């Protein structure tokens, strides 16, 4: 049995779908089953209603599981509680979604958080595989309301290039690893799309797909932080997002890897494919 946490989220929901498609015994850990994409999970998927904040619900979900795909909003206490429950319940392998620059000395809080969780996982004695995605293409959905209203988006990543990856390929990698965990134990896979792109390329792809110009409006990270706070983003998240965009401007995400294809056997989706598949979300 494979338990997927964060199963209503971007990576987790597609991981559940792909595992079910493979015929793997799969359990989705969810706070609210009605938040499944389309309102329900595929036939045959077990649902465990639970919450990272309630260890008893984690224990109930993990009882009898061999493998856990661990996805959260990168809250250390949440993932640490899930790892501790996995140990208690005799789980053998954890597949963790992490950050490629997870480090205890990172200036970015979510990178320090992932480093803390990784350290706990290493110390747990469980076998594990780390999946470290570059920026997710699905982050672009956050631009959709602004693009619809103003035919453009604001961003503070300058001309920085990044190896943006479609979260469907992160899910495909997670499903492939979870279905055959032993051969992936101890590995860290870096997950990227097929090409390095910039936000100018994003604007151009959206312009081509929508048939009218979409503008990339450049802000400094400090201006962007203020704009995010004004738009209602909580201050800590706005601060760390702005920090990350500044790092991207300086080349922090300008890396590519062949790991998606090596693990899944299929090349990762390009930005063009992502935009073609989701153009209606931006129109
Ligand atoms: N975005 C990026 O560019 C990027 C890049 C690299 C790595 N990552 C990493 O990817 C991970 C996030 O994956 P994602 O984008 O798929 O996440 P997501 O779409 O934000 O989904 C988060 C999931 O966590 C669940 N959750 C939140 N609080 C919970 C709780 N107390 N108990 C149980 N479940 C809870 C949510 O459930 P509800 O539906 O109930 O809220 C949801 O299913 C993070 O670790 C992040 O650091 C992201």
């Amino acid at each position: 049995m494979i338990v997927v946490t964060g199963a209503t989220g971007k990576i987790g929901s597609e991981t559940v779908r792909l595992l079910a498609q493979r015929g793997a015994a799969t359990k989705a850990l969810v706070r609210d089953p009605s938040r499944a994409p389309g309102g329900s999970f595929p036939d045959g998927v077990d649902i465990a209603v639970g919450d990272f904040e309630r260890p008893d619900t984690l224990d109930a979900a993990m009882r009898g599981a061999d493998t856990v795909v661990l996805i959260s909003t990168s809250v250390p206490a949440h993932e640490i509680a899930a790892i501790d429950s996995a140990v208690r319940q005799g789980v053998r392998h954890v597949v963790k979604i992490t950050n490629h620059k997870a480090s205890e000395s990172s200036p970015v809080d979510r990178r320090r958080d992932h480093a803390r969780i990784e350290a706990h996982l290493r110390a747990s004695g469980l076998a594990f595989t780390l999946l470290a995605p570059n920026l997710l293409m699905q982050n672009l959905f956050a631009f959709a309301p602004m693009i619809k209203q103003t035919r453009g988006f604001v961003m503070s990543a300058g001309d920085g290039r990044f190896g943006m990856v479609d979260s469907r390929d992160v899910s495909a990698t997670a499903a492939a690893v979870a279905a055959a965990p032993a051969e992936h134990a101890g590995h860290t896979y870096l997950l990227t799309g097929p090409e390095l792109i910039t936000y100018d390329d994003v604007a151009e792809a959206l312009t081509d797909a929508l048939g009218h110009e979409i503008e990339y409006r450049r802000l400094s990270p400090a201006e962007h932080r203020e704009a995010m706070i004004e738009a209602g983003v909580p201050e800590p998240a706005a601060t760390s997002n702005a920090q990350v965009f500044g790092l991207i401007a300086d080349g922090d995400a300008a890396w590519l890897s062949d790991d998606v294809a090596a693990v899944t056997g299929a090349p990762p989706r390009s930005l063009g494919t992502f935009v073609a598949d989701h153009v209606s979300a931006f129109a």
Side-chain angles (χ1 to χ4, degrees):
M1 172 70 75
I2 300 164
V3 172
V4 180
T5 75
T8 55
K10 292 184 282 296
I11 300 169
S13 58
E14 176 68 359
T15 303
V16 168
R17 193 187 71 78
L18 292 171
L19 285 170
Q21 196 178 63
R22 282 170 173 261
T26 306
K27 195 188 276 182
L29 175 69
V30 294
R31 290 192 284 194
D32 175 358
S34 73
R35 286 176 54 79
S40 65
F41 287 103
D43 287 346
V45 171
D46 282 355
I47 311 291
V49 176
D51 193 309
F52 288 125
E53 309 253 343
R54 291 183 45 212
D56 57 317
T57 65
L58 299 177
D59 285 349
M62 297 209 188
R63 206 158 291 142
D66 305 305
T67 301
V68 174
V69 179
L70 182 55
I71 308 166
S72 80
T73 49
S74 57
V75 178
H78 287 178
E79 293 199 29
I80 285 170
I83 292 164
D84 290 347
S85 173
V87 171
R88 282 195 297 276
Q89 298 306 320
V91 167
R92 283 193 226 131
H93 195 112
V94 171
V95 183
K96 170 174 163 49
I97 304 296
T98 190
N99 186 286
H100 69 286
K101 292 271 170 69
S103 154
E104 273 161 28
S105 57
S106 172
V108 182
D109 54 5
R110 78 180 73 129
R111 296 178 175 186
R112 292 194 303 277
D113 290 343
H114 275 300
R116 250 184 84 195
I117 300 162
E118 286 183 15
H120 195 82
L121 184 55
R122 285 178 210 284
S124 71
L126 297 170
F128 64 89
T129 307
L130 300 177
L131 303 183
N134 205 303
L135 288 183
L136 300 183
M137 292 180 190
Q138 278 68 9
N139 295 349
L140 298 173
F141 289 134
F143 292 162
M146 192 183 287
I147 286 173
K148 287 182 200 173
Q149 280 166 25
T150 71
R151 297 200 166 188
F153 59 86
V154 298
M155 181 40 79
S156 51
D159 296 321
R161 299 189 305 160
F162 38 85
M164 203 171 226
V165 61
D166 192 312
S167 72
R168 292 174 292 180
D169 292 316
V170 179
S171 304
T173 310
V177 171
E183 62 196 72
H184 300 289
H187 288 272
T188 297
Y189 296 117
L190 301 174
L191 308 181
T192 73
E195 61 206 338
L196 288 177
I197 57 175
T198 66
Y199 281 104
D200 274 327
D201 296 320
V202 170
E204 196 179 312
L206 288 166
T207 297
D208 290 347
L210 292 168
H212 56 77
E213 193 174 345
I214 299 299
E215 189 190 358
Y216 165 25
R217 302 187 192 104
R218 288 151 195 263
L219 299 180
S220 71
E223 289 167 336
H224 199 183
R225 178 180 172 279
E226 290 311 309
M228 284 186 275
I229 290 169
E230 253 173 56
V233 176
E235 202 169 324
T239 301
S240 95
N241 288 346
Q243 263 176 329
V244 170
F245 299 142
L247 290 169
I248 293 170
D250 293 338
D252 179 79
W255 50 275
L256 292 176
S257 153
D258 294 328
D259 287 349
V260 168
V263 175
T264 68
R269 293 165 176 86
S270 65
L271 176 68
T273 299
F274 170 84
V275 170
D277 289 348
H278 299 292
V279 64
S280 60
F282 300 96

